[in-house]
Amino acid sequence: MTPSKPRHSRDQVLKDHAQQMLSRSSISVQKFACRLNAILFAQIDEQLLAARKVPNLEQINEGPVEVFMTQSGNWLKRVQRWLSADVDFPSWLEESWVQALDPEYGERCIVELAARYGLVAAREAGSDGCPVSAFGQLVTRLGDAVTKCGQVLADGQIDAKDRPYLPAAIETLRFVESRSFEIRRGMENELSAHVELERHAFV
């Protein structure tokens, strides 16, 4: 999978990863639009969304079919305009947009956005309830990193000849950084908690 080009804006990164998902998976634009709509209403106050003219499709679905078809069609067109950059991408949409992506694409999007600010895209500890899962992903990513970096470092240096391999190698290393930091932070948090308990025990 190819990361968005460095010259792209934050908005373009969000749209690029959605477009990659739509072109490489079985997810349709309509399904993505419905998923995005549901996540928006789960995360943002309904009155704020109403002010932004976002229809509550789940609620409308309980009414007349004609109304639902009209409203869902209008929402689909709106999402399509965001995807095609026909209109400005609103900042209030960003978080829900990422969460509406399939996990693989959402994670790639977050990793790329974080890297643009020199950050590591680590999930909150326990976000999936299983640190072993994060470790399994780390092992997988390490294998990918060995392969991708091996292509770059085959001649013992990094130079212009390696440019075709660099994007994939960089992306894989970012994933390794992300999972490593996630696991390390979980361990540090646990260690800090026990140190704090021991400190209070001797006070």
Side-chain angles (χ1 to χ4, degrees):
M1 182 135 343
T2 303
S4 303
K5 295 180 181 179
R7 69 174 180 271
H8 283 175
S9 66
R10 180 182 179 87
D11 297 352
Q12 190 61 53
V13 172
L14 293 161
K15 288 180 280 193
D16 280 354
H17 285 278
Q19 289 165 345
Q20 288 178 21
M21 179 190 71
L22 293 170
S23 65
R24 301 177 184 182
S25 72
S26 60
I27 303 296
S28 65
V29 180
Q30 184 174 18
K31 184 174 181 179
F32 175 67
C34 290
R35 184 190 292 176
L36 175 61
N37 187 269
I39 292 174
L40 280 169
F41 278 92
Q43 293 183 331
I44 301 178
D45 182 76
E46 190 166 346
Q47 291 183 342
L48 292 176
L49 291 174
R52 291 160 178 160
K53 298 181 180 179
V54 178
N56 188 334
L57 297 183
E58 183 177 355
Q59 188 178 81
I60 296 173
N61 191 35
E62 299 175 358
V65 175
E66 295 80 5
V67 175
F68 175 77
M69 294 299 293
T70 299
Q71 292 291 335
S72 62
N74 290 340
W75 174 247
L76 174 60
K77 291 178 182 177
R78 196 171 177 186
V79 173
Q80 289 172 326
R81 287 195 291 270
W82 283 324
L83 282 166
S84 62
D86 289 341
V87 295
D88 291 337
F89 194 93
S91 60
W92 53 266
L93 187 64
E94 290 185 8
E95 183 177 353
S96 299
W97 184 278
V98 173
Q99 292 193 23
L101 299 173
D102 280 354
E104 175 189 356
Y105 296 92
E107 182 179 16
R108 291 177 184 276
C109 184
I110 291 171
V111 167
E112 183 172 352
L113 288 172
R116 286 166 179 265
Y117 294 94
L119 304 174
V120 176
R123 300 175 299 181
E124 287 299 321
S127 62
D128 62 359
C130 182
V132 176
S133 173
F135 181 69
Q137 292 173 20
L138 173 60
V139 172
T140 300
R141 299 300 185 186
L142 281 171
D144 292 342
V146 170
T147 300
K148 298 294 193 303
C149 293
Q151 293 175 316
V152 174
L153 300 171
D155 59 356
Q157 56 186 342
I158 302 174
D159 53 30
K161 298 191 298 294
D162 300 311
R163 290 181 63 184
Y165 306 108
L166 293 179
I170 291 169
E171 183 182 36
T172 305
L173 289 172
R174 286 174 180 167
F175 277 118
V176 170
E177 291 173 356
S178 175
R179 291 297 157 266
S180 297
F181 185 75
E182 177 185 347
I183 296 169
R184 177 173 65 83
R185 185 170 57 183
M187 292 179 178
E188 289 174 340
N189 289 344
E190 183 64 22
L191 183 60
S192 297
H194 282 285
V195 170
E196 187 68 16
L197 287 174
E198 291 175 357
R199 187 176 70 83
H200 284 293
F202 287 98
V203 173

